[in-house]
Amino acid sequence: MNYLAHIYLSGGDPEVTVGNFIADAVKGKDYLNYSEGIQRGIILHRAIDTFTDSHPIVKQSSKRLHKKYGHYSGVIVDILYDHFLAANWSDYSDQPLDQYVQAFYDLLQAHHDIVPERIQKIMPIMFAHNWLLSYATVEGIGKILFQMNRRTKNRSKMNFAILELEAHYDEFYEEFTTFFAELITYSAEKLKTL
């Protein structure tokens, strides 16, 4: 899953949310250098990734992209799934997406000092381009995929994946909806054990 899903699946706990968001920038046992709440978020993030990567529905979505995008297909699916979460946000939260996103940006800014440098560098760009809110539109996802392609020095060709999203929108949406319901349950149960 991508940023928005990880944030959402944190159960509303501020430190778990921050930990879940920064987890990809925290390697190995370095998570032990953080507070207990941040550690829980990092561990939750890793568990979500493991659950997601091994799930047959996610593999089905990824397979649709694999011929053109190879090992980048999993990353693309993560981004597409965040689109469906954002586009259908009212199915998952009573709080409007723009308010939810702004509250997260404020939370992240409040924890700036403990955020890894790699994340600190992207925060101004993320805020300026309002990445999380932009996920809600196909155009916004197109821009994200374009930026991701640039980060791979145009090797991934991820910018073209918007065509697959448009061509198979209903299939991806159905797969996301079924999978995400399972992931919500899994994440809530996992949080209880951390």
Side-chain angles (χ1 to χ4, degrees):
M1 299 308 292
N2 208 41
Y3 293 134
L4 185 60
H6 276 290
I7 295 161
Y8 176 79
L9 294 167
S10 298
D13 181 292
E15 285 205 331
V16 172
T17 302
V18 172
N20 202 339
F21 179 74
I22 67 170
D24 283 335
V26 180
K27 301 303 176 194
K29 293 188 176 182
D30 288 350
Y31 77 97
L32 296 170
N33 298 326
Y34 292 91
S35 69
E36 186 179 324
I38 302 287
Q39 288 182 34
R40 289 177 69 221
I42 294 168
I43 294 167
L44 177 63
H45 180 108
R46 293 173 179 178
I48 288 168
D49 281 357
T50 299
F51 181 85
T52 301
D53 292 345
S54 63
H55 199 285
I57 292 176
V58 177
K59 288 182 177 180
Q60 185 176 319
S61 291
S62 187
K63 187 176 180 184
R64 191 176 292 117
L65 301 168
H66 199 267
K67 187 175 180 182
K68 288 187 181 177
Y69 305 102
H71 69 274
Y72 293 107
S73 58
V75 175
I76 295 168
V77 169
D78 285 348
I79 294 168
L80 299 186
Y81 279 13
D82 252 17
H83 162 67
F84 290 112
L85 175 57
N88 300 282
W89 184 254
S90 62
D91 294 343
Y92 300 99
S93 177
D94 293 331
Q95 185 179 20
L97 181 59
D98 60 340
Q99 292 177 17
Y100 184 88
V101 166
Q102 189 55 56
F104 172 71
Y105 292 160
D106 293 344
L107 174 67
L108 195 58
Q109 194 61 48
H111 287 80
H112 185 272
D113 292 348
I114 63 139
V115 172
E117 187 177 342
R118 184 178 126 196
I119 305 290
Q120 286 180 358
K121 286 180 179 177
I122 66 164
M123 281 168 57
I125 303 161
M126 180 185 212
F127 298 163
H129 295 281
N130 207 350
W131 286 356
L132 300 180
L133 192 61
S134 74
Y135 289 166
T137 66
V138 172
E139 180 186 5
I141 285 296
K143 288 178 183 175
I144 297 293
L145 290 167
F146 179 81
Q147 291 166 359
M148 293 292 287
N149 181 55
R150 282 180 46 196
R151 282 175 60 189
T152 67
K153 297 182 173 46
N154 299 318
R155 284 190 304 270
S156 68
K157 307 298 182 204
M158 289 167 76
N159 52 311
F160 294 111
I162 199 69
L163 300 175
E164 275 73 35
L165 173 62
E166 292 171 338
H168 302 284
Y169 197 90
D170 292 342
E171 295 98 316
F172 281 122
Y173 173 63
E174 187 176 321
E175 288 159 1
F176 162 77
T177 303
T178 305
F179 166 69
F180 200 60
E182 293 183 30
L183 183 57
I184 288 170
T185 301
Y186 171 81
S187 299
E189 290 301 314
K190 187 68 181 176
L191 260 176
K192 291 177 187 174
T193 69
L194 297 177

